[in-house]
């Protein structure tokens, strides 16, 4: 029962407990950084004009739209599809 509490949700997105912890920590770091930027943007509106909204979009892509590692593994991909598409689009421009 206790083990299930720590493994059920990570398994639902195709991750082990430690993989899920690493992803959660990376999202947390990005959100903390964006929060600091938003704080300073509130004081100085000319700073970090797009940082908060860009962080939200990136986190959504990584956390919601392309989160399941099983889908990436089945497709033989190393990175989520949207992240790969963004990289390819940037290279084309």
């Amino acid at each position: 029962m206790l083990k299930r509490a720590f493994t059920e949700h990570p398994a639902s997105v195709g991750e082990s407990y430690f993989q899920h912890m690493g992803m959660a920590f990376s999202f947390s770091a990005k959100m903390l950084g964006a929060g600091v930027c938003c704080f300073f943007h509130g004081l100085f509106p000319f700073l970090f004009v797009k940082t908060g909204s860009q962080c939200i979009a990136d986190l959504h892509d990584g956390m919601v739209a392309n989160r399941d590692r099983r889908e990436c593994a089945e497709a033989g991909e190393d990175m989520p599809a949207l992240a790969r598409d963004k990289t390819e689009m940037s290279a084309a421009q």
Side-chain angles (χ1 to χ4, degrees):
M1 175 72 173
L2 186 60
K3 180 181 178 184
R4 192 172 130 213
F6 286 91
T7 59
E8 185 175 16
H9 172 65
S12 74
V13 292
E15 296 175 337
S16 70
Y17 172 77
F18 290 106
Q19 287 173 322
H20 192 72
M21 181 191 301
M23 292 302 294
F25 287 173
S26 73
F27 293 146
S28 172
K30 291 173 186 175
M31 286 189 278
L32 287 169
V36 169
C37 290
C38 288
F39 175 83
F40 282 107
H41 174 71
L43 294 173
F44 307 102
F46 51 88
L47 294 177
F48 309 113
V49 175
K50 295 183 180 181
T51 305
S53 57
Q54 185 61 53
C55 181
I56 290 168
D58 292 345
L59 286 170
H60 180 267
D61 286 350
M63 191 182 297
V64 178
N66 290 294
R67 185 71 173 94
D68 197 325
R69 286 181 186 254
R70 294 169 298 188
E71 291 173 7
C72 292
E74 289 170 7
E77 300 173 351
D78 291 331
M79 73 170 61
L82 280 180
R84 187 185 69 250
D85 293 344
K86 283 184 178 179
T87 303
E88 290 171 359
M89 286 173 44
S90 295
Q93 293 174 353

